[in-house]
Amino acid sequence: MRARVWCGTAAAVLGLLAAGCGGGKDTEDKGGKGDTGDKGTEKSAASGGFPVTVTDCMGAGTTFTEAPEKIVTSNASSLEILLRLGAGDKVIGTGFPPAKGALPGELDARAQQVEVLSKTVIPKEKLLGSGADLYIDTFASMAGMGGGMGDAPTEEEFKAAGIKHVYLKSTACAPMSKGPSEDLSAVQDDITSLGAVTGTSAKARELVDGMKEKVDGVRKAVGGTAQDARPTYFFFDFDAGTKQPIAVCNRQVANAVITLAGARNVFADCDGDFKQVSWEDVVSRNPDWIQLGVRDRGSEAADEKAFDEARKWLEGNPATKGLKAVKEGNFLRIGSERTTIAGVENATTVQDIARAVHPDKVK
């Protein structure tokens, strides 16, 4: 049995928290061993065509001689990327499915048609018996990292079942990365990698180019802003519960989103992806802005109601009502998923945050 790591409370249960990193693969890239600051995939994956080799967090590679036909995804992150790539018809099942309405328009309709193998982690027997030829794993693992998410297939069991096992590295490798997440290159590498594996490299390039265009526009607008002039920012994960807040730390994609938008994550000194903190910790950092992190409820009206509830809680809680952001009404109503889950919409969130905290620079 391989150890899997839960990072705590409701946020983990909803698939927003990922753990450590990965086991061995069919072939091994000796040069990349241990390089968790990975540049993405092997050159063959970036160039298009087959064979394609992709690597895990430790640099071990998996080679594809053709595109997979039956894919299972561990959660909504890789499912959304596949849908955007136009490879959604290859997905035969998922764990941690996206909430209804969490994806825009037609993407949502197609996501709801994917069979839900589990609302949380897919049981080992169901995964191995799914008939998949590829499993994309957002929850990587490595012996000795502690925790326990239950019995997960070994690499030998995946191989025996005819399932190739790869990782969504922007999320899975985050806790092991060499430094803070301050750009979206890991997310873009994942899109490039999955595009190569599924034979949709042209669409992957289009998606990545679109992300870069949005982020570059913000960078040009706020790049000259001194660090001490950038507002401090707290992502309030309302759905993780209010008794003990969950901080997004410097290895989480949300840290990159906040940083690129020209703000300063108040928990950027926290090494890792997520961490339980205290309200005293939040109060001591007294953020200039607070994002009301609410997961999609399935409709605009339901979302607005949840945002209202999060704001009212902050305004009514004795520990938080005196915060600068609360007193000045500096709240952002931006959904959790496109902030903390790796995907194309991370770039849009960069724009939205930048427009709010730098209204004079980003239109």
Side-chain angles (χ1 to χ4, degrees), residues 23-239:
K25 290 290 183 292
D26 299 341
T27 60
E28 185 171 321
D29 170 23
K30 299 293 185 182
K33 197 71 173 174
D35 182 8
T36 57
D38 185 71
K39 298 299 182 183
T41 64
E42 295 298 315
K43 290 183 179 179
S44 57
S47 60
F50 291 92
V52 169
T53 299
V54 295
T55 58
D56 70 4
C57 305
M58 302 301 292
T62 297
T63 298
F64 293 81
T65 56
E66 60 184 357
E69 293 296 324
K70 297 179 179 179
I71 304 173
V72 168
T73 56
S74 66
N75 78 348
S77 302
S78 46
L79 172 59
E80 178 179 352
I81 292 174
L82 291 174
L83 290 170
R84 289 182 181 275
L85 287 170
D89 59 333
K90 306 292 186 182
V91 182
I92 62 170
T94 191
F96 288 106
K100 185 177 181 181
L103 302 181
E106 180 60 25
L107 286 179
D108 181 64
R110 285 152 56 195
Q112 300 308 315
Q113 293 172 2
V114 174
E115 181 180 356
V116 177
L117 299 180
S118 173
K119 291 185 177 180
T120 56
V121 178
I122 302 172
K124 172 180 173 177
E125 293 75 17
K126 182 174 285 189
L127 176 56
L128 292 175
S130 65
D133 54 10
L134 172 63
Y135 176 57
I136 303 173
D137 199 347
T138 306
F139 311 108
S141 60
M142 187 171 70
M145 288 195 68
M149 283 175 59
D151 196 9
T154 64
E155 293 305 321
E156 291 72 22
E157 288 172 326
F158 275 121
K159 188 173 182 179
I163 302 173
K164 290 184 182 291
H165 180 200
V166 303
Y167 296 91
L168 194 70
K169 294 166 66 175
S170 55
T171 302
C173 305
M176 294 176 65
S177 61
K178 292 179 177 178
S181 174
E182 295 180 337
D183 60 41
L184 298 180
S185 60
V187 180
Q188 293 160 357
D189 286 344
D190 274 335
I191 294 169
T192 299
S193 174
L194 293 184
V197 166
T198 58
T200 58
S201 289
K203 183 62 177 179
R205 285 192 292 271
E206 178 185 326
L207 294 175
V208 169
D209 287 346
M211 292 177 69
K212 289 180 177 178
E213 183 178 358
K214 291 179 179 180
V215 172
D216 287 348
V218 172
R219 184 182 287 118
K220 290 176 182 177
V222 304
T225 307
Q227 277 297 114
D228 59 3
R230 298 182 179 215
T232 55
Y233 193 97
F234 173 55
F235 176 86
F236 172 37
D237 192 345
F238 180 61
D239 289 324

